Amino acid sequence: MTAVESHMTYSNSYTINNETVYMTQEDDWDRDLLLDPAWEKQQRKTFTAWCNSHLRKAGTAIENIEEDFKNGLKLMLLLEVISGERLPKPDKGKMRFHKIANVNKALDFICSKGVKLVSIGAEEITDGNGKMTLGMIWTIILRFAIQDISVEETSAKEGLLLWCQRKTAPYRNVNVQNFHISWKDGLALCALIHRHRPDLIDYSKLRKDDPIGNLNTAFEVAEKFLDIPKMLDAEDIVNTPKPDEKAIMTYVSCFYHAFAGAEQAETAANRICKVLAVNQENEKLMEEYEKLASELLEWIRRTIPWLENRTAEQTMRAMQQKLEDFRDYRRIHKPPRVQEKCQLEINFNTLQTKLRLSNRPAFMPSEGKMVSDIANAWKGLEGVEKGYEEWLLTEIRRLERLDHLAEKFKQKCSMHESWTGGKEELLSQKDYESASLMEIRALMRKHEAFESDLAAHQDRVEQIAAIAQELNELDYHDAASVNARCQGICDQWDNLGTLTQKRRDALELYLEFAKRAAPFNNWMDGAMEDLQDMFIVHSIEEIQSLITAHDQFKATLPEADKERMATMGIHNEILKIAQTYGIKLSGINPYTNLSPQDISSKWDAVKHLVPLRDQMLQEEVARQQANERLRRQFAAQANIIGPWIQTKMEEISHVSVDIAGSLEEQMNSLKQYEGNIINYKSNIDKLEGDHQLSQESLIFDNKHTNYTMEHVRVGWEQLLTTIARTINEVENQILTRDAKGISQEQLNEFRKRNGMMDPDDFRACLISMGYDLGEVEFARIMTLVDPNNTGVVTFQAFIDFMTRETAETDTAEQVMASFKILASDKNYITVDELRRELPPDQAEYCISRMTRYIGGDGATGALDYISFSSALYGESDL
């Protein structure tokens, strides 16, 4: 669309800001120049063609410029076509005064546009004065085709010349300095066409020594493809020493309007494409955020019930498998989710920065998917996770204790049941009823020895009951069988006590051997039980305590051996007396169930168990020493890694507020930190390996370090999140600075105050940046940066303020104006226009999102670009 055509389209929007004289007798119109017949011929041909290029839009034309404008009718029509405005109704008469009246109406309209007509009167035009008519047409051309040309603060003739110079500067043999001889060889015209439509002319084949050919090529191409009529003759230009300037200007102005209109549409399309590209990118980031947030929240939702499941297993093996599953969760499944959470926060901050920089409303995620919602869900996950790990370890300790107690219970029950076997039948015998006095006394002594033995076994029964009680308290899975067996032993014990008491009433036995043998036998039984007793320890100190107790026991063995020898000595004395007095012994001691062989065999058993106990204790020492090595190995690494993480956190914090260097230098420094942190991951993995070995060895405490694996994991995750978030913050600062023109000094002035200022500091900051602040202006600024009157100005508020102060961002109104250009000034746009003016993907983007135009002036399928433009910036329809 040409600029002149646009006057028709914008018929109600054109206004004159000031009146300027565009036509003076001394400058723009020199009558003497028309005395040159060559120039007059060129002007007549050019002006006639120019007028016809507009009159044809009204279905008419002129042939003779002097004759056809005499009655003023076609002159008035020409002005209406090029201005897009209605002139007063023309007089219909054919008398001279009717014609003069019509010409005067045209001249009055020209004057109303700020043009002074010097020495040009209606009578001269009506009388067919060629010089006056050409002067009038030139005035019209100046006003409506050249005046509004503006290029780099120059306008009209100078603007048109500068435009030609800019467009043809890259072309060889072209040097546009004026509107006459610079155009004689035709290369300048061909260069203008090639610059805008390289498909129409092969400039490399043009020759400077063929001006006629060059000019005719330009004329023909312009007429055929650019709708610019031929206004000049190549021979006239070439054969005239100095072609007519006005004719050349008129013709060249048609190229400006032809190409400037296209450039305007191209500029509008480029602006729209840029805005749509930003919007499409932002929408993609929003969709990615929503998708990532949904997936992360869904994973948390699925994981929490698993961590809340506190169903205990009945065996150590099953619980250790649960612990292994939890380690897989911490080592394999959770780390990617930690990275996703960090990336989610980074994407959210980057998106908000881009939206702010592109003058878009802030992004509001779907309900329940805010960063704060995700942070709360994550906090809940970690709370449940911590509780689950504590429960696992507690359960494993419980099952370890249960397994130990269950084995101990079985061992003591077996020993007790072995001892009580046949005791009830023995006590139920009534052999004393037919015994002699001597036999009764023997039975009494034998029973007394049994009573002593029974009393000695009371402690074991109490231990069995205590173990059974503890197994019940620890919720042992097979508590029923334990209780049944314990109850049987207790019932049997009560029965033995009753039977013993009854038998005592019937017997009286005193035998030194029995009295002495029974306690020693009991001691050996106790010693054998202690030597076979199971133990569970968790430290070297505990096993050393058992070794000390065992050494103390071994120290009592010599005294015990003396007691054995003394007891056996009594038996030997009996044998000696029997031999001396010829007494024949029956072979069975009538006073006790214990024989010397029993004493000897048990003593041998005690001596055999002592080295076995030594071996068991030493093996446990080796195991505890290995555990201690694991503790020290873990502690050595943890005591390095823990402080290293803390140090890196502090260093990153210092880098983020360091204003000594540029943001790029900070970014490079942070990237180096990020690389070092990533490379340090192998140390964390090694520590995880040591931690796994410790748990597999059932090591649950470590006095050599205050750092647990949980502490290190949390610190490591915080470090990864902090470095990523800090890099993202600096990236957003660079993005903001580059997009909004905020200087490094302005950023540093704020950052050196730890990202927050009170009003006095903020005022000083603004003054240091060159602001001239009065109280009213500063109060206005404070309402922008601290709308809630908190008394502080945050770094983000400062960035937003500087963005508004320095930015030249696209607005909804600018996008609407661009669409209006593509729509040829209509309030709606069609699908065909969108597909013609925009790239396919962005055209379809608009078509899929624009609503149907509901105005009465809309064509079929018209789309509402106004509401669409408003929606891009989160505004209501303007």
Side-chain angles (χ1 to χ4, degrees), residues 79 217 257 275 314 340 368 457 462 473 484 513 546 591 638 790:
L79 291 171
T217 296
H257 290 301
V275 170
Q314 295 183 352
E340 286 179 12
H457 283 78
E462 292 175 355
E473 291 173 351
F513 180 84
L546 289 178
Y591 307 108
T790 60

Side-chain angles (χ1 to χ4, degrees), residues 66-82:
E66 294 97 336
E67 294 297 325
D68 293 343
F69 284 145
K70 277 184 177 183
N71 62 8
L73 294 177
K74 288 189 178 181
L75 179 60
M76 292 179 71
L77 182 60
L78 174 65
L79 291 171
E80 286 187 344
V81 170
I82 63 177

Side-chain angles (χ1 to χ4, degrees), residues 537-547 620-629 631-632 703:
V537 295
H538 296 98
S539 67
I540 290 180
E541 288 77 9
E542 292 178 7
I543 190 62
Q544 287 295 348
S545 176
L546 289 178
I547 291 174
E620 185 62 29
V621 167
R623 192 174 75 86
Q624 290 302 324
Q625 287 174 341
N627 287 355
E628 183 67 10
R629 284 193 296 273
R631 288 189 181 94
R632 292 181 182 275
K703 66 181 180 181

Side-chain angles (χ1 to χ4, degrees), residues 161-176 183 187-193 195-196 203:
L161 182 62
L162 182 59
W163 179 78
C164 294
Q165 291 170 338
R166 292 284 186 269
K167 296 298 181 180
T168 61
Y171 291 85
R172 59 182 174 82
N173 298 324
V174 177
N175 183 18
V176 177
W183 304 84
L187 290 177
L189 284 173
C190 290
L192 276 181
I193 296 172
R195 179 65 179 269
H196 296 90
Y203 188 84

Side-chain angles (χ1 to χ4, degrees), residues 701-735:
D701 60 342
N702 196 334
K703 66 181 180 181
H704 303 296
T705 181
N706 293 324
Y707 295 99
T708 65
M709 194 64 233
E710 180 65 21
H711 291 149
V712 174
R713 286 172 186 149
V714 172
W716 179 251
E717 291 172 3
Q718 289 177 345
L719 180 61
L720 292 176
T721 301
T722 299
I723 186 63
R725 184 182 294 121
T726 305
I727 288 175
N728 178 247
E729 289 173 355
V730 176
E731 287 174 341
N732 286 340
Q733 289 179 24
I734 292 174
L735 184 63

Side-chain angles (χ1 to χ4, degrees), residues 90-360:
D91 290 359
K92 296 295 185 182
K94 296 183 180 180
M95 304 296 289
R96 173 179 168 80
F97 73 88
H98 291 125
K99 298 177 181 178
I100 292 174
N102 289 334
V103 173
N104 270 324
K105 290 176 182 178
L107 296 179
D108 290 342
F109 179 79
I110 295 172
C111 291
S112 72
K113 297 303 179 183
V115 178
K116 281 189 177 182
L117 297 173
V118 180
S119 301
I120 298 177
E123 293 81 0
E124 294 172 300
I125 303 299
T126 302
D127 292 339
N129 187 316
K131 291 186 293 183
M132 292 298 106
T133 302
L134 290 173
M136 178 190 65
I137 297 301
W138 173 241
T139 300
I140 293 172
I141 293 171
L142 273 176
R143 173 60 185 83
F144 291 102
I146 298 177
Q147 172 194 330
D148 293 332
I149 294 174
S150 178
V151 178
E152 298 183 14
E153 300 181 356
T154 63
S155 58
K157 177 182 176 181
E158 291 76 12
L160 181 60
L161 182 62
L162 182 59
W163 179 78
C164 294
Q165 291 170 338
R166 292 284 186 269
K167 296 298 181 180
T168 61
Y171 291 85
R172 59 182 174 82
N173 298 324
V174 177
N175 183 18
V176 177
Q177 297 297 325
N178 49 56
F179 286 108
H180 37 79
I181 61 174
S182 295
W183 304 84
K184 285 189 65 173
D185 58 10
L187 290 177
L189 284 173
C190 290
L192 276 181
I193 296 172
H194 184 269
R195 179 65 179 269
H196 296 90
R197 292 290 304 275
D199 57 310
L200 299 180
I201 291 179
D202 187 352
Y203 188 84
S204 64
K205 294 183 179 180
L206 301 178
R207 303 196 320 271
K208 187 173 180 64
D209 59 0
D210 184 21
I212 298 293
N214 296 338
L215 287 167
N216 283 328
T217 296
F219 296 157
E220 292 168 4
V221 168
E223 187 169 29
K224 182 177 181 180
F225 297 102
L226 304 179
D227 200 27
I228 299 174
K230 184 178 180 182
M231 299 181 183
L232 300 165
D233 287 324
E235 292 77 5
D236 292 341
I237 295 177
V238 172
N239 296 328
T240 303
K242 182 180 179 183
D244 180 63
E245 184 178 54
K246 296 176 178 61
I248 299 293
M249 282 180 65
T250 300
Y251 187 58
V252 171
S253 70
C254 294
F255 285 90
Y256 173 84
H257 290 301
F259 293 135
E263 289 178 351
Q264 186 182 33
E266 182 181 357
T267 300
N270 288 339
R271 179 189 291 275
I272 291 172
C273 287
K274 175 184 173 184
V275 170
L276 293 180
V278 170
N279 229 59
Q280 287 173 302
E281 182 184 1
N282 290 341
E283 286 184 3
K284 182 180 179 182
L285 289 174
M286 292 176 192
E287 291 171 359
E288 289 177 353
Y289 175 89
E290 290 281 343
K291 179 175 179 292
L292 194 58
S294 298
E295 291 175 353
L296 184 58
L297 289 170
E298 174 61 20
W299 178 80
I300 293 174
R301 185 192 67 78
R302 294 196 314 268
T303 303
I304 285 180
W306 175 65
L307 294 172
E308 286 178 335
N309 182 9
R310 300 294 196 270
T311 303
E313 300 293 341
Q314 295 183 352
T315 65
M316 175 71 84
R317 184 185 183 90
M319 284 305 297
Q320 285 178 330
Q321 183 59 50
K322 278 197 170 187
L323 180 61
E324 183 62 29
D325 293 342
F326 179 72
R327 279 201 289 261
D328 287 344
Y329 157 79
R330 290 300 304 264
R331 185 174 59 246
I332 299 172
H333 303 296
K334 186 183 178 185
R337 301 299 180 176
V338 174
Q339 184 62 32
E340 286 179 12
K341 175 178 175 290
C342 179
Q343 191 62 46
L344 196 68
E345 295 176 3
I346 290 173
N347 290 354
F348 182 81
N349 294 334
T350 300
L351 174 60
Q352 298 294 42
T353 299
K354 289 186 175 182
L355 289 171
R356 186 170 60 254
L357 294 178
S358 58
N359 202 25
R360 303 299 201 282

